[in-house]
Amino acid sequence: MSRRALITGGTGFVGSVLAAALRRDGVEVRTLSRSDEADFSADLGDADRLRAIVTEFAPSEVFHLAALPSGRRDRELVAAMYHTHVAGTFALTQALAELEQPPRLIAAGTLAEYGGAQAPYSEQTLALPVSPYGSTKLIASELCRLYTMATGAPAAVLRACDLYGPGRSGGYFLPSLIAALRAGDAFEMSAGEQRRDYLFVDDFVAALQLAATAPLAGFRIA
């Protein structure tokens, strides 16, 4: 059977790289985001629109990358985070579960789900999120697990560390540092006591592709 991939957040930093890689492999791809540049322009919280899209396209695999990443702990972020990560993931999994053949679901998680847990993290580390982003993404991961329980379709959540690469917006550490160096500007930093495991975007995309094609039963966090 030919592969048909739907990518939420498909016009974003990771989604655009993934879409190009899948198309090079001959996969039929449709991107979904709020951007007019997407194949399907939609808000994840619009359950009716989402149901119509997945019914029309009937994907064999879904990459759920749509997110509002932020390490801030401000309370005013909760509503937007909940809408995208919780309500959006719920609407997506409900729509997919209604298909005659529910597809494999691969979701991008985050190290923010581990939050205040003792580093270094592993898949067995207890999740202790400390931000609206981490908390709502953890709920999204649970919704993916419930999707597998309800449908029997395999699902995986890949909790990526700090991603970098061409196209990353300037609001992140490495792009900001590079821009400052190129401009000859001073770069304000902390004392440098943090430890980070940076991951190149192509390597994460390769992991997403492997999760979509490797033998997989049930639900897995990686």
Side-chain angles (χ1 to χ4, degrees), residues 172-219:
Y172 292 86
F173 175 74
L174 285 179
S176 299
L177 174 60
I178 292 170
L181 290 172
R182 293 183 66 180
D185 296 335
F187 187 72
E188 185 176 347
M189 295 180 60
S190 67
E193 297 173 348
Q194 304 94 330
R195 298 179 65 183
R196 295 288 187 269
D197 186 8
Y198 289 97
L199 179 64
F200 188 58
V201 62
D202 286 358
D203 294 326
F204 184 52
V205 163
L208 291 168
Q209 292 176 284
L210 183 61
T213 56
L216 178 63
F219 173 75

Short mmCIF file of all heavy atoms in Angstrom, two decimals, residues 172-219:
data_model
loop_
_atom_site.label_atom_id
_atom_site.label_comp_id
_atom_site.label_asym_id
_atom_site.label_seq_id
_atom_site.Cartn_x
_atom_site.Cartn_y
_atom_site.Cartn_z
N TYR A 172 15.95 31.39 19.42
CA TYR A 172 16.58 30.30 20.15
C TYR A 172 18.08 30.58 20.32
O TYR A 172 18.66 31.40 19.63
CB TYR A 172 16.36 28.98 19.41
CG TYR A 172 14.92 28.54 19.43
CD1 TYR A 172 14.03 29.01 18.47
CD2 TYR A 172 14.44 27.70 20.42
CE1 TYR A 172 12.69 28.63 18.49
CE2 TYR A 172 13.11 27.31 20.45
CZ TYR A 172 12.25 27.78 19.48
OH TYR A 172 10.93 27.41 19.51
N PHE A 173 18.70 29.83 21.24
CA PHE A 173 20.07 30.14 21.66
C PHE A 173 21.07 30.12 20.50
O PHE A 173 21.76 31.11 20.26
CB PHE A 173 20.51 29.16 22.75
CG PHE A 173 21.95 29.32 23.15
CD1 PHE A 173 22.35 30.41 23.92
CD2 PHE A 173 22.91 28.40 22.75
CE1 PHE A 173 23.68 30.58 24.28
CE2 PHE A 173 24.24 28.56 23.11
CZ PHE A 173 24.62 29.65 23.88
N LEU A 174 21.17 29.00 19.79
CA LEU A 174 22.21 28.89 18.76
C LEU A 174 22.01 29.89 17.62
O LEU A 174 22.97 30.55 17.21
CB LEU A 174 22.28 27.46 18.23
CG LEU A 174 22.96 26.45 19.17
CD1 LEU A 174 22.95 25.06 18.55
CD2 LEU A 174 24.39 26.86 19.49
N PRO A 175 20.78 30.05 17.06
CA PRO A 175 20.62 31.07 16.01
C PRO A 175 20.94 32.48 16.51
O PRO A 175 21.53 33.28 15.79
CB PRO A 175 19.15 30.94 15.62
CG PRO A 175 18.76 29.58 16.02
CD PRO A 175 19.55 29.27 17.24
N SER A 176 20.55 32.77 17.76
CA SER A 176 20.82 34.09 18.31
C SER A 176 22.32 34.31 18.49
O SER A 176 22.84 35.40 18.22
CB SER A 176 20.10 34.26 19.66
OG SER A 176 18.71 34.14 19.51
N LEU A 177 23.01 33.29 18.97
CA LEU A 177 24.46 33.37 19.15
C LEU A 177 25.17 33.58 17.81
O LEU A 177 26.04 34.45 17.67
CB LEU A 177 24.98 32.10 19.82
CG LEU A 177 26.50 31.97 19.96
CD1 LEU A 177 27.08 33.11 20.79
CD2 LEU A 177 26.88 30.62 20.55
N ILE A 178 24.77 32.81 16.79
CA ILE A 178 25.40 32.93 15.48
C ILE A 178 25.16 34.31 14.89
O ILE A 178 26.07 34.94 14.32
CB ILE A 178 24.88 31.82 14.54
CG1 ILE A 178 25.38 30.46 15.02
CG2 ILE A 178 25.31 32.07 13.10
CD1 ILE A 178 24.74 29.28 14.32
N ALA A 179 23.93 34.81 15.03
CA ALA A 179 23.61 36.14 14.50
C ALA A 179 24.45 37.21 15.17
O ALA A 179 24.95 38.15 14.52
CB ALA A 179 22.13 36.43 14.68
N ALA A 180 24.64 37.09 16.51
CA ALA A 180 25.44 38.06 17.24
C ALA A 180 26.90 38.01 16.81
O ALA A 180 27.56 39.04 16.63
CB ALA A 180 25.31 37.81 18.74
N LEU A 181 27.42 36.80 16.60
CA LEU A 181 28.81 36.64 16.17
C LEU A 181 29.02 37.23 14.78
O LEU A 181 30.03 37.90 14.51
CB LEU A 181 29.19 35.16 16.19
CG LEU A 181 29.33 34.50 17.58
CD1 LEU A 181 29.52 33.00 17.43
CD2 LEU A 181 30.49 35.12 18.35
N ARG A 182 28.07 36.98 13.90
CA ARG A 182 28.21 37.50 12.53
C ARG A 182 28.14 39.02 12.50
O ARG A 182 28.79 39.67 11.68
CB ARG A 182 27.12 36.90 11.64
CG ARG A 182 27.25 35.40 11.43
CD ARG A 182 26.18 34.87 10.49
NE ARG A 182 26.33 35.41 9.14
CZ ARG A 182 25.52 35.10 8.15
NH1 ARG A 182 24.50 34.29 8.34
NH2 ARG A 182 25.72 35.63 6.95
N ALA A 183 27.34 39.58 13.42
CA ALA A 183 27.19 41.04 13.45
C ALA A 183 28.26 41.70 14.30
O ALA A 183 28.37 42.93 14.32
CB ALA A 183 25.81 41.41 13.99
N GLY A 184 29.05 40.92 15.02
CA GLY A 184 30.06 41.46 15.90
C GLY A 184 29.47 42.09 17.14
O GLY A 184 30.11 42.95 17.78
N ASP A 185 28.27 41.65 17.53
CA ASP A 185 27.60 42.21 18.70
C ASP A 185 27.93 41.40 19.96
O ASP A 185 28.26 40.21 19.88
CB ASP A 185 26.07 42.20 18.51
CG ASP A 185 25.64 43.09 17.37
OD1 ASP A 185 26.37 44.04 17.04
OD2 ASP A 185 24.56 42.83 16.79
N ALA A 186 27.83 42.07 21.10
CA ALA A 186 27.96 41.37 22.38
C ALA A 186 26.77 40.43 22.54
O ALA A 186 25.67 40.73 22.10
CB ALA A 186 28.02 42.36 23.52
N PHE A 187 27.00 39.30 23.19
CA PHE A 187 25.93 38.32 23.37
C PHE A 187 25.76 38.06 24.86
O PHE A 187 26.65 37.53 25.52
CB PHE A 187 26.25 37.02 22.63
CG PHE A 187 25.14 36.03 22.63
CD1 PHE A 187 24.00 36.25 21.87
CD2 PHE A 187 25.21 34.88 23.40
CE1 PHE A 187 22.95 35.33 21.86
CE2 PHE A 187 24.18 33.96 23.40
CZ PHE A 187 23.05 34.18 22.64
N GLU A 188 24.61 38.43 25.39
CA GLU A 188 24.35 38.27 26.82
C GLU A 188 24.07 36.81 27.13
O GLU A 188 23.23 36.15 26.49
CB GLU A 188 23.15 39.11 27.23
CG GLU A 188 22.88 39.10 28.73
CD GLU A 188 21.75 40.03 29.12
OE1 GLU A 188 21.34 40.86 28.29
OE2 GLU A 188 21.28 39.91 30.27
N MET A 189 24.77 36.29 28.10
CA MET A 189 24.62 34.87 28.46
C MET A 189 24.51 34.73 29.97
O MET A 189 24.81 35.65 30.74
CB MET A 189 25.82 34.05 27.97
CG MET A 189 25.97 33.99 26.47
SD MET A 189 27.40 33.02 25.95
CE MET A 189 27.03 31.42 26.66
N SER A 190 24.08 33.53 30.38
CA SER A 190 24.06 33.21 31.80
C SER A 190 25.48 32.79 32.21
O SER A 190 26.42 32.91 31.44
CB SER A 190 23.07 32.06 32.06
OG SER A 190 23.56 30.87 31.45
N ALA A 191 25.59 32.25 33.41
CA ALA A 191 26.90 31.80 33.88
C ALA A 191 27.37 30.55 33.15
O ALA A 191 28.51 30.11 33.33
CB ALA A 191 26.84 31.53 35.38
N GLY A 192 26.52 29.96 32.32
CA GLY A 192 26.92 28.80 31.54
C GLY A 192 26.94 27.50 32.32
O GLY A 192 27.69 26.58 32.00
N GLU A 193 26.11 27.41 33.36
CA GLU A 193 26.10 26.22 34.20
C GLU A 193 25.13 25.14 33.70
O GLU A 193 25.11 24.03 34.21
CB GLU A 193 25.73 26.61 35.64
CG GLU A 193 26.76 27.55 36.27
CD GLU A 193 26.31 28.07 37.62
OE1 GLU A 193 25.10 27.88 37.95
OE2 GLU A 193 27.13 28.65 38.34
N GLN A 194 24.30 25.48 32.69
CA GLN A 194 23.36 24.50 32.17
C GLN A 194 24.08 23.49 31.28
O GLN A 194 25.15 23.76 30.74
CB GLN A 194 22.25 25.18 31.34
CG GLN A 194 21.50 26.26 32.10
CD GLN A 194 22.08 27.64 31.84
OE1 GLN A 194 23.28 27.77 31.59
NE2 GLN A 194 21.24 28.65 31.91
N ARG A 195 23.46 22.34 31.13
CA ARG A 195 23.97 21.32 30.21
C ARG A 195 22.88 21.04 29.18
O ARG A 195 21.73 20.82 29.53
CB ARG A 195 24.34 20.04 30.96
CG ARG A 195 25.45 20.24 31.98
CD ARG A 195 25.77 18.97 32.71
NE ARG A 195 26.32 17.95 31.82
CZ ARG A 195 26.64 16.71 32.22
NH1 ARG A 195 26.43 16.36 33.49
NH2 ARG A 195 27.16 15.85 31.36
N ARG A 196 23.23 21.09 27.92
CA ARG A 196 22.26 20.91 26.85
C ARG A 196 22.76 19.84 25.87
O ARG A 196 23.96 19.72 25.61
CB ARG A 196 22.06 22.22 26.07
CG ARG A 196 21.42 23.32 26.89
CD ARG A 196 19.95 23.06 27.17
NE ARG A 196 19.31 24.18 27.81
CZ ARG A 196 19.21 24.34 29.13
NH1 ARG A 196 19.75 23.44 29.94
NH2 ARG A 196 18.60 25.40 29.64
N ASP A 197 21.82 19.08 25.33
CA ASP A 197 22.13 18.08 24.31
C ASP A 197 21.46 18.54 23.03
O ASP A 197 20.26 18.33 22.84
CB ASP A 197 21.59 16.72 24.75
CG ASP A 197 22.00 15.61 23.80
OD1 ASP A 197 22.82 15.88 22.90
OD2 ASP A 197 21.50 14.48 23.96
N TYR A 198 22.23 19.19 22.16
CA TYR A 198 21.66 19.73 20.93
C TYR A 198 21.54 18.65 19.86
O TYR A 198 22.40 17.77 19.73
CB TYR A 198 22.52 20.89 20.42
CG TYR A 198 22.39 22.12 21.28
CD1 TYR A 198 23.32 22.41 22.27
CD2 TYR A 198 21.30 22.97 21.12
CE1 TYR A 198 23.18 23.53 23.07
CE2 TYR A 198 21.15 24.09 21.92
CZ TYR A 198 22.09 24.37 22.89
OH TYR A 198 21.95 25.47 23.69
N LEU A 199 20.45 18.73 19.10
CA LEU A 199 20.14 17.72 18.08
C LEU A 199 19.89 18.43 16.75
O LEU A 199 19.04 19.32 16.66
CB LEU A 199 18.90 16.93 18.50
CG LEU A 199 18.42 15.83 17.54
CD1 LEU A 199 19.48 14.73 17.41
CD2 LEU A 199 17.11 15.24 18.05
N PHE A 200 20.64 18.02 15.72
CA PHE A 200 20.48 18.62 14.40
C PHE A 200 19.14 18.19 13.81
O PHE A 200 18.74 17.03 13.93
CB PHE A 200 21.63 18.21 13.50
CG PHE A 200 21.65 18.92 12.17
CD1 PHE A 200 21.72 20.31 12.11
CD2 PHE A 200 21.60 18.21 10.99
CE1 PHE A 200 21.75 20.98 10.90
CE2 PHE A 200 21.63 18.86 9.76
CZ PHE A 200 21.70 20.25 9.73
N VAL A 201 18.46 19.11 13.14
CA VAL A 201 17.10 18.85 12.67
C VAL A 201 17.04 17.64 11.74
O VAL A 201 16.08 16.85 11.80
CB VAL A 201 16.51 20.11 11.99
CG1 VAL A 201 17.31 20.51 10.76
CG2 VAL A 201 15.04 19.91 11.66
N ASP A 202 18.04 17.44 10.88
CA ASP A 202 18.03 16.29 9.97
C ASP A 202 18.06 14.97 10.73
O ASP A 202 17.46 13.97 10.29
CB ASP A 202 19.22 16.35 9.01
CG ASP A 202 19.05 17.41 7.94
OD1 ASP A 202 17.99 18.08 7.91
OD2 ASP A 202 19.98 17.59 7.13
N ASP A 203 18.76 14.95 11.86
CA ASP A 203 18.82 13.73 12.67
C ASP A 203 17.48 13.44 13.32
O ASP A 203 17.06 12.27 13.42
CB ASP A 203 19.92 13.85 13.73
CG ASP A 203 21.31 13.94 13.13
OD1 ASP A 203 21.54 13.30 12.07
OD2 ASP A 203 22.16 14.64 13.69
N PHE A 204 16.78 14.49 13.76
CA PHE A 204 15.46 14.27 14.35
C PHE A 204 14.47 13.82 13.28
O PHE A 204 13.65 12.93 13.52
CB PHE A 204 14.97 15.55 15.02
CG PHE A 204 13.65 15.39 15.73
CD1 PHE A 204 13.45 14.37 16.64
CD2 PHE A 204 12.60 16.26 15.47
CE1 PHE A 204 12.23 14.20 17.30
CE2 PHE A 204 11.38 16.12 16.12
CZ PHE A 204 11.19 15.09 17.04
N VAL A 205 14.56 14.40 12.10
CA VAL A 205 13.69 13.99 10.99
C VAL A 205 13.95 12.52 10.64
O VAL A 205 13.01 11.76 10.37
CB VAL A 205 13.90 14.91 9.77
CG1 VAL A 205 13.35 14.28 8.50
CG2 VAL A 205 13.24 16.25 10.04
N ALA A 206 15.20 12.10 10.66
CA ALA A 206 15.52 10.69 10.40
C ALA A 206 14.88 9.79 11.46
O ALA A 206 14.39 8.70 11.15
CB ALA A 206 17.03 10.50 10.38
N ALA A 207 14.88 10.25 12.72
CA ALA A 207 14.26 9.47 13.79
C ALA A 207 12.75 9.38 13.59
O ALA A 207 12.14 8.33 13.82
CB ALA A 207 14.58 10.10 15.14
N LEU A 208 12.12 10.48 13.17
CA LEU A 208 10.69 10.47 12.89
C LEU A 208 10.36 9.48 11.77
O LEU A 208 9.39 8.72 11.85
CB LEU A 208 10.21 11.86 12.51
CG LEU A 208 10.21 12.93 13.61
CD1 LEU A 208 10.00 14.32 13.01
CD2 LEU A 208 9.12 12.64 14.65
N GLN A 209 11.18 9.50 10.72
CA GLN A 209 10.96 8.57 9.60
C GLN A 209 11.12 7.12 10.04
O GLN A 209 10.35 6.25 9.62
CB GLN A 209 11.93 8.89 8.47
CG GLN A 209 11.66 10.23 7.78
CD GLN A 209 12.71 10.54 6.74
OE1 GLN A 209 13.82 10.93 7.07
NE2 GLN A 209 12.37 10.33 5.48
N LEU A 210 12.10 6.86 10.89
CA LEU A 210 12.31 5.50 11.38
C LEU A 210 11.13 5.05 12.23
O LEU A 210 10.67 3.91 12.13
CB LEU A 210 13.60 5.44 12.20
CG LEU A 210 14.00 4.06 12.73
CD1 LEU A 210 14.22 3.09 11.58
CD2 LEU A 210 15.27 4.17 13.57
N ALA A 211 10.60 5.96 13.05
CA ALA A 211 9.45 5.62 13.88
C ALA A 211 8.22 5.30 13.03
O ALA A 211 7.34 4.56 13.46
CB ALA A 211 9.13 6.78 14.83
N ALA A 212 8.16 5.86 11.84
CA ALA A 212 7.02 5.62 10.96
C ALA A 212 7.13 4.32 10.18
O ALA A 212 6.12 3.80 9.69
CB ALA A 212 6.87 6.78 9.98
N THR A 213 8.34 3.79 10.05
CA THR A 213 8.53 2.61 9.20
C THR A 213 9.01 1.37 9.95
O THR A 213 8.84 0.25 9.46
CB THR A 213 9.56 2.92 8.09
OG1 THR A 213 10.79 3.37 8.69
CG2 THR A 213 9.03 4.02 7.16
N ALA A 214 9.58 1.53 11.11
CA ALA A 214 10.09 0.39 11.87
C ALA A 214 8.93 -0.41 12.47
O ALA A 214 7.84 0.12 12.70
CB ALA A 214 11.02 0.87 12.98
N PRO A 215 9.14 -1.70 12.72
CA PRO A 215 8.10 -2.49 13.39
C PRO A 215 7.74 -1.85 14.73
O PRO A 215 8.62 -1.55 15.54
CB PRO A 215 8.77 -3.86 13.58
CG PRO A 215 9.82 -3.92 12.52
CD PRO A 215 10.32 -2.52 12.37
N LEU A 216 6.47 -1.61 14.93
CA LEU A 216 6.03 -0.93 16.15
C LEU A 216 4.66 -1.44 16.53
O LEU A 216 3.73 -1.42 15.71
CB LEU A 216 5.98 0.59 15.91
CG LEU A 216 5.48 1.47 17.08
CD1 LEU A 216 6.43 1.36 18.27
CD2 LEU A 216 5.35 2.92 16.63
N ALA A 217 4.54 -1.89 17.77
CA ALA A 217 3.25 -2.34 18.28
C ALA A 217 2.96 -1.59 19.56
O ALA A 217 3.85 -1.34 20.37
CB ALA A 217 3.27 -3.84 18.53
N GLY A 218 1.72 -1.18 19.74
CA GLY A 218 1.36 -0.48 20.95
C GLY A 218 1.86 0.95 20.96
O GLY A 218 2.05 1.58 19.93
N PHE A 219 2.15 1.44 22.16
CA PHE A 219 2.57 2.83 22.36
C PHE A 219 3.98 2.86 22.92
O PHE A 219 4.34 2.03 23.78
CB PHE A 219 1.61 3.53 23.33
CG PHE A 219 2.06 4.91 23.72
CD1 PHE A 219 1.94 5.97 22.84
CD2 PHE A 219 2.60 5.16 24.97
CE1 PHE A 219 2.34 7.26 23.19
CE2 PHE A 219 3.01 6.44 25.35
CZ PHE A 219 2.88 7.48 24.44
#
